[in-house]
Amino acid sequence: MKYMRIWFISILAVLLLLPAMAIAQADAGPDTVTCKTGTVVIGKNTNNDWCYSWSPIHGLDNPTAPKPTADPDSTLTYTLTVTGENFSFKSTDEVKVIVMDSLYFLEDNSQDYGFDDWTNKGGTKFPWKSVEKGEDDPVKAKVVPPNGFEGVYFKSSVVAKATVSPAQMGANNQTVTITGVAKGADADIEGNCGSASGDNLHKCEVAVYEKQSKTIMIRLVHEDNDDIQVIPVGNGKPNQVCINNGTDTILNSTASGDDQVVGKTITTGADGVCNSTASGNDAQVIPVNQGQPNQLCVRSGPNNFRDTHPKSGDDVITGDSIYTGADGICNTAANNTDIISSNYSDAVILAALNDDIFNQAVHDFTITRLPAKTINFDLDRDGMYDDDGAFMSTAEAQLIRDSCKDDTYDANFFLIDNPKFGNTALGQMGFNQRYAFINVANHSAPNTVEQTGAHEAGHGLFGLRHPGPGTSGCGASDGASNYQDPDNLMDYCSKIKLRKFQWDLINP
């Protein structure tokens, strides 16, 4: 009986100790998130009679405290070892401290408006996002390192200006929707660590604009050439007296080539050139191998404009016609072939203006194709459109403008071929002007007609300038501003990017 009582008491003691033994274990606490510049307290144990040991010790203020403050440089897993009083137990547990190093806002492929992450002069700046007033648009946020993104919270610094959703990052490369509320002072979309009011990891600055629209007229401009060739090139006027008989009234000469004997004379044949040599006392009226001088060679056609200019020989201009010179041979070919400007798709130009480029600045265009015009703009008859590099400085440019313009549109695009200076003048439009000349046929990679059109619209409609005045080549640097931006629409390579300062110029 005595032994049974001792056994019962022993069992009871063990049963009473089991709850205490069950809770005698290490508790490092839940995984947690901190900013790179912040700290976090780890550990959950409270018994001061136990011994604690944390490893590694990097970033800990006290590696033997039950609840040390952790400040690691990067994400780190800490192991806690707890030893009970009188070595009654030993237990371990782990906790991961996720360190938010940085956050990037990236351009979303489905966004409507602009995203500007360009850094000028090698400095660091936050990206800009443009949003239409009252509308929304996405931008992606990415946490580096990629784990622990659930600890990032988003908020707008000016809620009345713009709002953002979701409020907390739910997955890596989170798509964040920014909603434009009101045009006004710029707002910041902050990505904060740990809470909406936590340490700022990064931000995206938001510019809200009213939607703007402009109209552009596109017109093909053709050169009208319809002069008439009166005498074939290399010939003279046919059936002219070449040799006359002499005082004996007898024709002593013999006709050569296609010359013909007509009565007592020899006349030129169909080529109008005298091929015969006078004999005896016959008189040589037209020198051998020449034609009758001062004959009509080329005359203007129905447009009553002489399109032809003598290019060789001794032909001379008389009024609106060209006559043979002293040799009587027509050396000038009539200019009777119109210069037809290359056609270009309105849809392609519109896509560049709207979808690719100016939507970045919350702006769009309406393009209207007006009927082509065929006019006589080649005043010096050199077969080219004279453009000396200064806008509207030539009579030919002014003639095209005055003949083809329609000022009911914000801008006029004249599509024209054969500029005198070729690829050195792919297009022209003055600052804050209405008229643009786009030299269609002279484009080649990397430049395209639609890029040039958008580039010129930047000049004329919004006063945008080249990155570097007086420079040339992709990414050319201006000594005053000292920046390079080869992806910019206004660069000499005419790419498609617009920057925040340009958005502001487009939306005054």
Side-chain angles (χ1 to χ4, degrees):
M1 191 64 164
K2 176 182 179 181
Y3 294 109
M4 288 185 64
R5 185 165 55 234
I6 295 174
W7 175 82
F8 176 77
I9 293 173
S10 299
I11 293 297
L12 181 61
V14 171
L15 291 175
L16 290 174
L17 286 173
L18 282 177
M21 295 177 62
I23 62 171
Q25 57 184 340
D27 187 355
D31 292 348
T32 188
V33 176
T34 183
C35 299
K36 192 167 186 178
T37 58
T39 61
V40 64
V41 176
I42 55 176
K44 287 290 187 179
N45 295 114
T46 59
N47 193 326
N48 292 326
D49 292 329
W50 297 346
C51 293
Y52 301 91
S53 176
W54 293 87
S55 65
I57 64 173
H58 174 73
L60 298 180
D61 65 338
N62 185 353
T64 62
K67 296 180 181 180
T69 297
D71 183 19
D73 296 328
S74 58
T75 298
L76 190 61
T77 298
Y78 289 101
T79 300
L80 169 63
T81 301
V82 176
T83 304
E85 188 178 5
N86 298 321
F87 301 97
S88 58
F89 70 91
K90 188 175 184 179
S91 176
T92 61
D93 193 19
E94 291 183 345
V95 61
K96 178 185 285 187
V97 177
I98 300 167
V99 178
M100 293 295 184
D101 186 6
S102 58
L103 174 73
Y104 299 110
F105 287 91
L106 308 171
E107 184 173 6
D108 188 284
N109 292 333
S110 63
Q111 72 175 9
D112 293 326
Y113 302 114
F115 187 84
D116 179 16
D117 59 354
W118 177 60
T119 301
N120 187 11
K121 297 184 179 179
T124 301
K125 72 177 189 63
F126 300 117
W128 279 96
K129 179 75 185 76
S130 63
V131 183
E132 180 182 351
K133 176 183 174 181
E135 299 298 323
D136 57 33
D137 210 13
V139 64
K140 282 185 178 178
K142 181 180 180 182
V143 176
V144 178
N147 53 2
F149 46 79
E150 68 275 3
V152 175
Y153 294 78
F154 299 111
K155 73 171 183 178
S156 173
S157 61
V158 185
V159 176
K161 169 72 184 299
T163 58
V164 60
S165 64
Q168 184 177 2
M169 204 165 188
N172 196 28
N173 292 341
Q174 175 75 45
T175 298
V176 181
T177 300
I178 298 172
T179 302
V181 178
K183 183 179 179 183
D186 299 315
D188 296 332
I189 302 302
E190 297 177 355
N192 293 327
C193 176
S195 69
S197 59
D199 292 337
N200 181 258
L201 290 173
H202 205 54
K203 65 182 178 181
C204 179
E205 296 176 299
V206 182
V208 179
Y209 302 105
E210 298 274 4
K211 186 68 172 286
Q212 303 290 324
S213 183
K214 287 219 170 16
T215 59
I216 289 181
M217 174 273 279
I218 294 180
R219 193 192 294 275
L220 294 176
V221 181
H222 308 317
E223 166 65 19
D224 182 20
N225 297 319
D226 64 354
D227 285 358
I228 296 172
Q229 190 82 44
V230 178
I231 298 176
V233 177
N235 289 7
K237 186 177 180 180
N239 307 317
Q240 303 299 300
V241 174
C242 176
I243 297 174
N244 266 329
N245 60 77
T247 55
D248 60 3
T249 69
I250 298 173
L251 184 65
N252 301 296
S253 305
T254 302
S256 301
D258 68 345
D259 294 349
Q260 300 174 354
V261 175
V262 178
K264 294 182 178 182
T265 63
I266 295 177
T267 63
T268 62
D271 66 3
V273 176
C274 179
N275 301 291
S276 305
T277 302
S279 300
N281 64 353
D282 291 350
Q284 189 84 39
V285 178
I286 298 176
V288 179
N289 296 324
Q290 294 190 28
Q292 182 71 30
N294 307 317
Q295 299 300 304
L296 179 62
C297 175
V298 176
R299 66 176 177 84
S300 61
N303 66 17
N304 295 316
F305 181 90
R306 177 178 52 81
D307 303 300
T308 306
H309 187 79
K311 292 185 172 60
S312 61
D314 64 349
D315 295 348
V316 295
I317 298 173
T318 304
D320 282 334
S321 300
I322 296 175
Y323 285 77
T324 62
D327 66 2
I329 295 176
C330 179
N331 302 289
T332 303
N335 185 1
N336 55 18
T337 302
D338 293 344
I339 299 176
I340 305 299
S341 295
S342 304
N343 205 345
Y344 213 80
S345 168
D346 294 350
V348 173
I349 296 176
L350 184 60
L353 286 169
N354 288 349
D355 300 338
D356 295 337
I357 299 176
F358 285 100
N359 267 5
Q360 297 172 49
V362 195
H363 211 297
D364 63 12
F365 289 83
T366 299
I367 287 183
T368 302
R369 167 85 62 163
L370 294 189
K373 281 216 170 184
T374 302
I375 62 174
N376 294 111
F377 62 77
D378 187 14
L379 300 179
D380 60 1
R381 284 87 169 176
D382 66 351
M384 306 185 81
Y385 153 57
D386 289 353
D387 173 11
D388 65 0
F391 179 71
M392 286 296 175
S393 63
T394 69
E396 294 188 5
Q398 295 170 17
L399 178 59
I400 293 171
R401 175 199 62 193
D402 295 339
S403 301
C404 301
K405 69 179 182 177
D406 187 330
D407 288 342
T408 61
Y409 296 89
D410 294 317
N412 291 191
F413 280 7
F414 306 129
L415 306 187
I416 188 168
D417 287 353
N418 282 2
K420 179 169 288 186
F421 288 96
N423 280 345
T424 63
L426 297 178
Q428 278 191 312
M429 193 173 191
F431 296 117
N432 301 308
Q433 297 294 319
R434 188 185 298 270
Y435 312 105
F437 294 90
I438 311 297
N439 304 322
V440 180
N442 290 277
H443 282 75
S444 58
N447 301 94
T448 64
V449 169
E450 60 267 28
Q451 285 174 328
T452 298
H455 176 102
E456 300 307 332
H459 284 319
L461 294 176
F462 308 115
L464 302 184
R465 295 181 176 272
H466 295 140
T471 58
S472 61
C474 299
S477 177
D478 162 28
S481 59
N482 193 29
Y483 73 85
Q484 295 182 342
D485 190 9
D487 293 327
N488 197 292
L489 170 68
M490 303 313 296
D491 189 84
Y492 290 90
C493 285
S494 293
K495 297 300 178 64
I496 64 172
K497 284 291 186 180
L498 288 172
R499 306 305 184 187
K500 168 59 169 54
F501 75 94
Q502 293 169 319
W503 302 348
D504 291 337
L505 291 172
I506 293 170
N507 294 278

